[in-house]
Amino acid sequence: MSTHILGQRRTSWVGVSRKRVEDPRLLVGGGRYTDDFDLPGALEVAFVRSAVPHARITSIDVDAAKALPGVHAVYTAADLDRLGLGELACKWVYGDQRSRSQPVLARDVVRFVGEPVAAVVADDRYIAEDAAELVWVDYESLEVVVDVAAALAPGAPVLHPGWGDNVMVRATFGDGDFATAEAQADVVLRESFRTHRHTAVPMEGRGAVAMIDPLSGALTVYTSNQAPHRAKTNLAEYLNWPEHRIRVVAPDVGGGFGVKDRAAVEEVLVAVLATQLGRPIKWIEDRREHFFSTNHARQQAHEVEVAVRRDGRIIALHDRFTADYGAYASTAVGVGPPLLAGEMLPGPYDIPNYRAELEVVVTNKVPSGGFRGFGMQQATFVMERLMDRIAAELELDPADVRRRNFVGRDAFPYTSGSGARYDSGDYEAALDRALALADYDGWRERQREARAAGRLIGIGISSLVEATGEGPSREHGEYGWEVSGYENVAVRMDPEGGVTIVMGISPQGQGHQTVFAQVCADELGIHPDDITVVQGDTATTPYAVAGAIGSRGATLGGAAVIGASRKVRGQLARMAAHMLEASPDDIELAGGKAFVRGSEHLGMDIATVASAILLARDLPEGLEPSLDERVLYDPTHLAYSFGTHVTVVEVDPDTGRFEYLRYVIVYDCGRVINPMIVEGQLVGGLAHGLGGAVLE
Amino acid sequence: MTPETSEQQLDVTVTVNGRQRSARVPSRMLLSDFLRHELGLYGTRVGCEHGVCGACTVLMDGAPARACLVFAAQADNAEIRTVEGLANGADGLTPLQAAFQEEHALQCGFCTPGMLMTLTEFLEDNPGPVTDQEVREAIAGNLCRCTGYQNIVRAVVRVAGGRDEDGAAR
């Protein structure tokens, strides 16, 4: 990791596959996830959930449940009414979107299998589940809306009184004129594409442990969550509890992938119970309830028409699509995913006339929300299938069709047909590299031979653009998302020259504690082993609510770490200059030392400089004795990464069993901090995609 | 966690990681809950309570067992090894654990203890080099939602001394 450049030693940790500092503890069973917190006197919650998809609740009898020894309370919507608590507000309301809240406990109607109806609090989960079985709910079945067609059919039952119909919201993207372009096309294709309902299923489900801290009096909630600061704000708002007396801690989190991005209805109820019962309250979902309560995602249907020239160039694209969204919109991200799908449909292509119309539809299913990719899988799937359909129709090579439609490498910054502003990209280079690595020409030859012999080999190409670094706070206001997009980081050096970084964002396996130390180490000229990254606890970390979503950790968290580190560096340079009687501009920090450029042997330990600042005995004029610097980084625009996947698959014509003969990913994600971790993320994401493709 | 019910209580004596533990447990208490909440050995994870995901895998009398499908009472007189019993104490990580770190075979870490227990028994039963396919079959009952498995396979092949499908050494 050390290179000599012109006689000076420079050490760089960015770009190094540093082994993860998180691993030793996790490998010996030392991980501490939400269920591992056993607080003295804690009670456990089991939910009574609807077993029917659509029904009116005519009565709830909790007497038998309450009478069971070991049961402390059974809550229904009536109890929430009594406490003056209402529904949980949706924090992303787009336009005139009609789903603006979700019941914490169902009151009069249940709208999906799994909807919480009552919460039993008992000495332990075993008794709580026994008691949950004793809660008798009388349901009067209502007609069920199973899909978009049923929801939009004339005379369909209206799931939400007052809506008039089952459309949650409509949106349009682009203003392409398909009709005019259609007349000029050589070919017009009309295709239907469907993406199925899919969800994240992290290995650790959701959960929360809430209590009133005996020392501080703060409502303290340990929860498996991607955004603890956001959960804190959600809880303060719902409970009407002063936010400065709430602490949320995300301990080790066993995967998030977009479904743990807020305090959802169960988490807020756990907090309510803790404040009401005066005991720590624990709720850990089991896998079965996870499947019908943690948000679903991705279910869309696209009706696409595309006008194409004979050489494969698209001159217009029109998409009418629907999202089967379930009974409510995610209280965290509303209808964000289908909105992003409409915005990103053009992908890496220059589509002269793009227009899409979206209807988000309610159905009697689990509410939808985010899941890794957040709408971009649907967009990529539709566009890439369309490219292949065009190629098949025109008897062109699918790679050539893509090339003919790519945004050119000299066209950046580029505004897509939907108005998205791409900052940079070279889509053709990624495609060419992927095809070369996959030996595309060789496989086309082998494919021909195989087909002649009765074997089925397919070659798939998928080029994509990914919006990352979510996102500019002021833009969130434009589409109704009540969340800021900045990252907030403080870098603090101690008298020993060691560093603590505190960050608003927190991890669920991405290796933050390893990579952010690498970034800081380069800025301060110290070793990453001398840097500790602290995350997850709202009491000790600076406020940033977006959390680990939208591929923003390395981009925005990293930028904030750099900014704060540079401020500390400035302080050290000024002090070292004072101590070495030099100009701050001539000070270098490297290898744990501060020295005048060219005179490394006359330098001093950074620790010596740090200690001198913090002792504050002999400071240069105007220098504050501070090595505690904070940066709040709010991006001005999104960052668009891109790439191409190429795969070769053989399918057995008799059994349908398939095998991947080759899989290549070429991806430009910008400057790689830790190659090993980036590869891990790409392969893990691929597993989600492949799993989805074959219904897991 | 002692409920005031009429539920049957049973005395169990079980050796966990070489240490004998005795307790009085409700008849239906799962081994996973016993290990985690009664003995404070939280390394054994619970991912599904269906026996599908493998996160709760422990070694019971030498064989992999789903702690979520075993009652604590069934473990009476059994020898249990959990992830906490693998490492060499002050010496650090076992070769398998070190290989996991070398190859980036864990991200969130939730499936990792179950993987390690399954693989510990696999390696003990299969000394010497192993192929990718053999490792994939060995972990077929352990789900991971983060890594995509590729690095887990690499770690095991590496620690066992890998050979490719033709038997040649790696």
Side-chain angles (χ1 to χ4, degrees):
Chain A
M1 274 122 358
S2 285
T3 53
H4 282 261
I5 299 174
L6 300 176
Q8 272 188 304
R9 186 180 66 213
R10 291 188 62 213
T11 307
S12 178
W13 284 96
V14 171
V16 172
S17 290
R18 181 185 182 219
K19 298 293 166 277
R20 292 196 343 158
V21 301
E22 294 89 335
D23 289 354
R25 184 174 61 88
L26 296 175
L27 285 164
V28 300
R32 286 297 172 265
Y33 305 82
T34 299
D35 187 37
D36 303 337
F37 290 88
D38 280 326
L39 303 178
L43 305 174
E44 282 205 68
V45 174
F47 283 93
V48 177
R49 296 179 180 277
S50 173
V52 294
H54 194 203
R56 192 167 292 117
I57 297 175
T58 53
S59 71
I60 307 178
D61 184 346
V62 301
D63 290 345
K66 277 184 171 167
L68 191 70
V71 173
H72 292 250
V74 182
Y75 268 52
T76 65
D79 294 286
L80 298 177
D81 288 345
R82 172 176 54 83
L83 295 170
L85 298 170
E87 301 197 349
L88 185 61
C90 176
K91 306 308 283 182
W92 185 340
V93 176
Y94 177 76
D96 58 2
Q97 172 184 321
R98 290 189 280 180
S99 178
R100 296 178 176 228
S101 65
Q102 181 178 347
V104 174
L105 292 172
R107 180 182 288 100
D108 305 313
V109 181
V110 289
R111 296 185 174 92
F112 64 97
V113 169
E115 182 161 15
V117 176
V120 175
V121 188
D123 286 333
D124 61 48
R125 176 83 179 203
Y126 292 73
I127 297 173
E129 289 188 10
D130 286 346
E133 286 177 20
L134 297 176
V135 173
W136 190 259
V137 184
D138 254 323
Y139 294 108
E140 188 185 289
S141 278
L142 299 171
E143 196 180 336
V144 176
V145 173
V146 298
D147 57 25
V148 169
L152 299 179
V158 174
L159 298 192
H160 295 273
W163 284 24
D165 61 29
N166 289 317
V167 177
M168 198 185 281
V169 72
R170 292 182 176 85
T172 62
F173 311 85
D175 54 11
D177 179 358
F178 190 82
T180 304
E182 184 175 7
Q184 297 158 4
D186 294 322
V187 172
V188 173
L189 294 180
R190 292 191 164 81
E191 304 285 343
S192 300
F193 301 107
R194 271 144 189 59
T195 53
H196 61 276
R197 195 161 258 257
H198 193 197
T199 184
V201 197
M203 287 308 294
E204 183 206 13
R206 291 183 300 139
V209 177
M211 66 170 177
I212 303 297
D213 185 293
L215 199 59
S216 66
L219 169 62
T220 302
V221 184
Y222 290 78
T223 180
S224 188
N225 200 285
Q226 295 169 245
H229 284 280
R230 196 193 312 193
K232 174 171 73 83
T233 295
N234 293 160
L235 288 168
E237 186 184 273
Y238 181 76
L239 276 83
N240 214 18
W241 192 276
E243 192 165 340
H244 57 89
R245 288 189 9 234
I246 300 181
R247 173 184 175 212
V248 175
V249 180
D252 289 321
V253 176
F257 312 121
V259 301
K260 295 178 180 174
D261 56 356
R262 78 281 192 199
V265 296
E266 291 91 348
E267 286 93 330
V268 298
L269 185 64
V270 169
V272 169
L273 293 168
T275 62
Q276 291 301 308
L277 300 180
R279 302 267 296 261
I281 305 288
K282 172 186 277 193
W283 168 71
I284 306 295
E285 70 176 356
D286 62 27
R287 185 58 58 184
R288 185 167 166 271
E289 73 182 304
H290 173 86
F291 280 125
F292 46 60
S293 67
T294 297
N295 70 262
H296 293 180
R298 298 188 176 174
Q299 188 170 20
Q300 293 179 5
H302 292 247
E303 302 296 322
V304 181
E305 47 187 7
V306 63
V308 189
R309 283 198 327 232
R310 193 160 291 110
D311 67 350
R313 184 84 173 91
I314 293 174
I315 59 175
L317 179 76
H318 176 226
D319 183 12
R320 285 179 300 112
F321 71 111
T322 60
D324 181 328
Y325 222 63
Y328 309 95
S330 155
T331 54
V333 297
V335 300
L339 291 177
L340 191 62
E343 180 167 322
M344 293 303 292
L345 196 80
Y349 305 109
D350 175 48
I351 313 284
N353 285 288
Y354 170 64
R355 182 175 171 83
E357 291 118 21
L358 162 68
E359 276 185 329
V360 182
V361 179
V362 287
T363 55
N364 288 122
K365 296 175 186 171
V366 176
S368 293
F371 170 28
R372 199 166 193 173
F374 207 82
M376 289 183 281
Q377 312 82 345
Q378 296 91 311
T380 302
F381 175 74
V382 168
M383 207 60 211
E384 293 308 285
R385 286 296 302 133
L386 197 61
M387 286 298 170
D388 289 345
R389 291 292 307 123
I390 292 169
E393 185 69 26
L394 298 175
E395 294 179 348
L396 298 171
D397 188 312
D400 288 337
V401 174
R402 287 169 171 83
R403 281 197 193 90
R404 237 152 258 168
N405 287 285
F406 276 152
V407 174
R409 64 175 60 91
D410 300 321
F412 294 91
Y414 169 84
T415 300
S416 82
S418 67
R421 294 187 304 283
Y422 298 170
D423 52 351
S424 66
D426 189 344
Y427 308 136
E428 190 165 8
L431 174 70
D432 287 344
R433 181 98 185 101
L435 294 175
L437 282 171
D439 186 22
Y440 181 68
D441 293 336
W443 274 109
R444 282 292 182 207
E445 183 55 42
R446 273 166 236 135
Q447 181 184 44
R448 275 188 288 276
E449 291 165 7
R451 280 187 179 152
R455 289 168 58 202
L456 301 177
I457 291 182
I459 302 172
I461 303 172
S462 187
S463 290
L464 69 136
V465 175
E466 188 182 348
T468 73
E470 178 57 58
S473 300
R474 70 181 180 288
E475 286 182 14
H476 291 179
E478 290 164 16
Y479 42 80
W481 195 10
E482 204 181 310
V483 142
S484 59
Y486 53 77
E487 251 324 293
N488 201 348
V489 169
V491 171
R492 300 172 181 151
M493 184 173 278
D494 57 48
E496 292 182 343
V499 168
T500 304
I501 303 177
V502 290
M503 309 184 68
I505 194 171
S506 57
Q508 307 82 44
Q510 301 92 325
H512 286 185
Q513 292 176 348
T514 301
V515 301
F516 291 127
Q518 290 176 252
V519 171
C520 177
D522 274 5
E523 295 300 319
L524 295 180
I526 61 177
H527 196 284
D529 287 355
D530 293 329
I531 302 169
T532 294
V533 179
V534 172
Q535 298 169 283
D537 185 342
T538 62
T540 56
T541 59
Y543 185 74
V545 296
I549 56 154
S551 298
R552 61 190 296 282
T555 37
L556 306 189
V561 167
I562 289 173
S565 300
R566 286 183 181 171
K567 284 188 177 181
V568 170
R569 189 188 193 294
Q571 294 288 96
L572 291 168
R574 283 175 66 189
M575 190 66 191
H578 177 66
M579 294 165 83
L580 294 171
E581 294 177 345
S583 161
D585 294 334
D586 294 332
I587 298 296
E588 290 269 321
L589 301 183
K593 297 214 179 295
F595 52 92
V596 175
R597 191 173 300 111
S599 304
E600 193 178 330
H601 57 290
L602 297 175
M604 61 183 70
D605 289 342
I606 288 173
T608 304
V609 182
S611 172
I613 291 182
L614 294 171
L615 203 55
R617 276 187 192 155
D618 171 28
L619 298 172
E621 185 75 36
L623 185 71
E624 276 205 350
S626 168
L627 291 175
D628 182 343
E629 303 296 333
R630 201 165 61 79
V631 160
L632 197 150
Y633 185 82
D634 201 329
T636 53
H637 59 273
L638 298 177
Y640 289 85
S641 56
F642 62 93
T644 293
H645 291 219
V646 176
T647 187
V648 182
V649 179
E650 178 159 6
V651 181
D652 185 315
D654 295 319
T655 66
R657 194 167 180 278
F658 64 93
E659 192 183 334
Y660 296 98
L661 301 179
R662 188 98 176 95
Y663 203 105
V664 168
I665 303 175
V666 168
Y667 205 69
D668 187 337
C669 62
R671 185 122 181 254
V672 172
I673 301 171
N674 184 319
M676 177 186 78
I677 287 180
V678 168
E679 185 191 284
Q681 290 298 310
L682 286 172
V683 174
L686 172 61
H688 283 180
L690 294 181
V694 298
L695 304 181
E696 305 281 7
Chain B
M1 211 164 66
T2 22
E4 299 165 22
T5 65
S6 57
E7 188 177 350
Q8 183 185 20
Q9 303 285 320
L10 298 168
D11 291 314
V12 297
T13 298
V14 56
T15 303
V16 182
N17 298 327
R19 199 177 140 203
Q20 195 175 79
R21 312 292 295 262
S22 293
R24 199 164 175 80
V25 299
S27 58
R28 62 177 175 169
M29 177 178 279
L30 300 174
L31 179 61
S32 51
D33 287 334
F34 177 70
L35 292 170
R36 291 168 48 71
H37 301 292
E38 293 300 307
L39 299 187
L41 295 168
Y42 293 106
T44 301
R45 310 267 159 230
V46 177
C48 74
E49 279 187 344
H50 284 63
V52 169
C53 78
C56 70
T57 305
V58 297
L59 296 182
M60 189 161 156
D61 294 329
R66 303 294 208 215
C68 76
L69 293 183
V70 176
F71 291 118
Q74 287 177 275
D76 192 30
N77 292 321
E79 286 206 21
I80 307 282
R81 282 172 77 191
T82 72
V83 65
E84 289 92 343
L86 287 180
N88 298 326
D91 292 350
L93 306 175
T94 64
L96 177 62
Q97 288 167 328
F100 262 54
Q101 185 182 24
E102 281 296 315
E103 296 294 342
H104 189 36
L106 64 153
Q107 292 183 19
C108 82
F110 200 79
C111 78
T112 304
M115 285 283 179
L116 290 171
M117 300 319 294
T118 296
L119 289 166
T120 294
E121 194 259 355
F122 168 72
L123 289 171
E124 285 172 358
D125 273 8
N126 294 279
V130 294
T131 64
D132 280 10
Q133 187 55 33
E134 286 166 344
V135 178
R136 286 182 186 279
E137 283 171 15
I139 61 171
N142 288 82
L143 299 181
C144 171
R145 203 53 178 158
C146 291
T147 67
Y149 304 99
Q150 193 162 269
N151 287 350
I152 295 173
V153 173
R154 267 187 200 146
V156 181
V157 168
R158 175 196 176 110
V159 77
R163 61 187 160 90
D164 63 25
E165 299 301 326
D166 297 327
R170 294 230 191 139

